[in-house]
Amino acid sequence: MRFERLHLTVTAGLVSCGFLVLMLSGELPIVFWAIILPAAACSFFVKSGPLRSVALWNVVLIAALGLFMAMALQSGDWLSGAIYFASVMVVGKLYQRSTVRDFFQLYALSFLQLVAGAVINPSLSFAICFLLYVVLL
């Protein structure tokens, strides 16, 4: 296996672990995952085009930040708002990955998802996801 392919596989595994630990908690709605997971999966097949535009993702992230802050202000649940926003950031960064810095940011965001998962997912599934994350890292 070539290094580039291995690197993308490990990156996909780390991001998947971050999403999986949050998804297994059951705290976030299925509708959110029905949007985020296909968007993240499609990013590995998009090589060029408007979806890789930094300007587009900046607009999407600013809109998402406003939406999730409004939701958090209304409900008082800041952790869920932060998790929603971090997940959208991961998807945005998946479409923009081109330099080493982008991959490091993906790793940091997936680690933040894992930390948030430790708070909202106190079951054995967190331990399994954490172990898988450590092995992949």
Side-chain angles (χ1 to χ4, degrees):
M1 181 180 283
R2 291 188 357 220
F3 177 75
E4 181 180 353
R5 183 146 194 65
L6 178 65
H7 185 247
L8 285 177
T9 303
V10 169
T11 300
L14 290 172
V15 168
S16 297
C17 283
F19 283 142
L20 187 62
V21 73
L22 295 173
M23 196 168 61
L24 291 176
S25 72
E27 295 289 325
L28 304 174
I30 298 294
V31 173
F32 177 73
W33 295 117
I35 296 168
I36 290 292
L37 294 179
C42 289
S43 70
F44 287 97
F45 302 107
V46 175
K47 303 294 181 200
S48 63
L51 286 177
R52 294 191 51 105
S53 168
V54 174
L56 170 72
W57 282 105
N58 285 343
V59 170
V60 169
L61 288 174
I62 289 170
L65 178 64
L67 173 71
F68 297 138
M69 281 188 69
M71 286 173 47
L73 282 170
Q74 184 180 21
S75 69
D77 188 8
W78 288 93
L79 181 61
S80 290
I83 290 171
Y84 289 137
F85 185 63
S87 298
V88 173
M89 283 177 57
V90 168
V91 171
K93 191 49 75 174
L94 281 171
Y95 279 99
Q96 297 175 21
R97 67 186 193 286
S98 60
T99 65
V100 173
R101 180 182 299 165
D102 296 329
F103 284 100
F104 281 141
Q105 289 173 359
L106 269 172
Y107 300 153
L109 286 169
S110 68
F111 181 72
L112 287 176
Q113 286 180 317
L114 200 70
V115 170
V119 175
I120 66 171
N121 188 359
S123 68
L124 184 61
S125 64
F126 170 77
I128 294 168
C129 291
F130 180 75
L131 182 64
L132 182 61
Y133 186 88
V134 168
V135 168
L136 286 172
L137 196 60

